[in-house]
Amino acid sequence: MATSSASSWREGMSSDNIKGLILALSSSFFIGASFIVKKKGLKKAGASGVRAGSGGYSYLYEPLWWVGMVTMIVGEIANFAAYAFAPAILVTPLGALSIIISAALAHIILRERLHIFGILGCALCVVGSTTIVLHAPQEREIESVTEVWDLAMEPAFLFYAALVITATFVLIFHFIPLYGQTHIMVYIGVCSLVGSLTVMSVKALGIAIKLTLSGMNQLIFPQTWAFTLVVTVCVLTQMNYLNKALDTFNTAVVSPIYYVMFTTFTIVASVIMFKDWDRQSPTQVITEICGFVTILSGTFLLHKTKDMADGLQTSLSIRLPKHSEEDGFDGGEGIPLRRQESMRST
């Protein structure tokens, strides 16, 4: 029975989906572990020099910190590669697993106690991720980057992209000057909207690189370089406004909200551009949505209860002053989410 079940599961997932899943899980492990290694390096460097949170750069001379940075880079490369093999609806939600890795390692290595509800949050993330993995759509067969470009040029996705760009400009030029310092959704809105276009372009670029390495040169097509330009512009925009959000608001508040909005917009963009749900039954789609909601519940529960172990009460205030942290990584604020932490470190 178990053998036939495992066999049917393998038949249900394409080889590309399995490769993408393995890369996404590896990425979560490397990035989650990098947070802990970096913090150990920061503590060691801060003991003999000026802390990073006080404007010091002594951590640049600490080998342990560089080990953490290299580990994070390896994780980001694996994450980039995962998009070339599997749908964004499978890869993006699995980013929550890096939180579990970080929380578990922090509990074991850094002695940062994990509350029982934090453990429950981790369990919910695992259950939700497993649900999405078991019901994820197959990756569509693409033989040229021009096919991805044609998908991006279809009216539905052009309409979505136009809405995202318009909303982004409205937020940047109208709402940020008025409410940027007091309303957390303004900065995070820009990051999440632009982030959905980033992932679509990263996926296109990843497919181009994968095809090129397999012998079908995609570098000769102007579309490859167009996607590269979009990735560059979008990533720089995300980094800029995410850093502003982290500099203005509490990381514990930014992390879950950013994860929810970024992942939601990315899934919407992927469904529109790659038509992920067109190849699935309504039951599969509803199951994936339930899995995603389960991950969101686990993420919020983990962040809301992380201070209970120390008997601290979570602040009800949304706008909090910037903390004097070690590279933005303080025990009282918990483990930040993978994508925002990696961008902040860039």
Side-chain angles (χ1 to χ4, degrees):
M1 182 71 69
T3 304
S4 62
S5 177
S7 175
S8 63
W9 178 78
R10 284 194 297 271
E11 291 173 1
M13 290 190 72
S14 66
S15 60
D16 276 354
N17 269 25
I18 294 175
K19 291 175 184 175
L21 172 62
I22 293 172
L23 286 167
L25 293 176
S26 300
S27 174
S28 292
F29 176 79
F30 280 113
I31 292 177
S34 73
F35 296 153
I36 307 304
V37 178
K38 281 180 62 184
K39 184 166 184 179
K40 292 283 286 185
L42 288 166
K43 283 187 171 183
K44 190 174 179 181
S48 58
V50 181
R51 292 178 54 184
S54 302
Y57 296 94
S58 58
Y59 60 87
L60 294 176
Y61 301 97
E62 175 53 52
L64 194 58
W65 184 85
W66 283 107
V67 170
M69 279 301 298
V70 171
T71 305
M72 176 172 284
I73 291 171
V74 170
E76 288 298 336
I77 292 174
N79 187 55
F80 177 89
Y83 282 111
F85 291 98
I89 196 172
L90 169 62
V91 176
T92 306
L94 293 181
L97 295 180
S98 64
I99 309 173
I100 299 176
I101 301 296
S102 295
L105 292 178
H107 180 78
I108 297 170
I109 298 174
L110 301 178
R111 306 300 184 203
E112 295 177 359
R113 293 182 58 200
L114 188 62
H115 191 271
I116 183 63
F117 288 111
I119 296 175
L120 177 60
C122 291
L124 287 174
C125 288
V126 171
V127 171
S129 298
T130 303
T131 302
I132 290 178
V133 167
L134 294 178
H135 297 85
Q138 302 293 334
E139 175 74 333
R140 73 187 303 137
E141 295 292 332
I142 295 178
E143 298 181 355
S144 172
V145 72
T146 57
E147 292 183 35
V148 185
W149 182 265
D150 291 339
L151 291 172
M153 291 297 105
E154 290 190 1
F157 187 75
L158 287 177
F159 179 70
Y160 173 80
L163 282 179
V164 166
I165 294 172
T166 301
T168 300
F169 276 110
V170 170
L171 286 172
I172 291 175
F173 294 106
H174 179 70
F175 287 99
I176 284 180
L178 296 175
Y179 307 110
Q181 297 297 309
T182 55
H183 291 70
I184 192 172
M185 299 299 291
V186 180
Y187 286 137
I188 295 181
V190 173
C191 298
S192 303
L193 287 167
V194 175
S196 66
L197 299 183
T198 301
V199 171
M200 296 303 101
S201 302
V202 163
K203 183 170 179 63
L205 189 57
I207 291 172
I209 294 174
K210 180 181 72 172
L211 292 173
T212 299
L213 293 176
S214 67
M216 295 180 285
N217 187 11
Q218 303 295 303
L219 302 181
I220 61 175
F221 296 110
Q223 289 90 338
T224 300
W225 302 105
F227 282 125
T228 303
L229 178 62
V230 173
V231 169
T232 303
V233 173
C234 289
V235 167
L236 291 175
T237 303
Q238 272 185 276
M239 286 169 53
N240 180 41
Y241 289 99
L242 186 55
N243 283 334
K244 290 178 182 292
L246 291 168
D247 189 54
T248 307
F249 303 98
N250 192 334
T251 305
V253 179
V254 173
S255 294
I257 296 176
Y258 175 62
Y259 175 78
V260 171
M261 292 184 64
F262 169 77
T263 306
T264 300
F265 282 123
T266 297
I267 290 176
V268 170
S270 182
V271 167
I272 294 174
M273 180 171 171
F274 291 96
K275 301 176 176 60
D276 294 326
W277 286 347
D278 288 1
R279 305 184 295 278
Q280 293 189 286
S281 67
T283 302
Q284 289 176 306
V285 173
I286 293 173
T287 304
E288 287 172 14
I289 293 174
C290 290
F292 179 49
V293 172
T294 303
I295 293 176
L296 298 186
S297 302
T299 302
F300 271 103
L301 187 60
L302 184 59
H303 276 275
K304 285 292 184 181
T305 61
K306 65 185 171 299
D307 289 335
M308 287 184 178
D310 299 320
L312 301 177
Q313 294 183 347
T314 303
S315 173
L316 298 178
S317 171
I318 290 293
R319 187 183 186 281
L320 295 176
K322 180 183 178 183
H323 292 269
S324 296
E325 308 169 15
E326 296 172 333
D327 193 31
F329 201 136
D330 182 79
E333 292 204 351
I335 308 300
L337 291 176
R338 62 189 290 180
R339 197 163 300 278
Q340 76 173 68
E341 171 68 13
S342 60
M343 286 182 176
R344 191 182 186 190
S345 302
T346 303

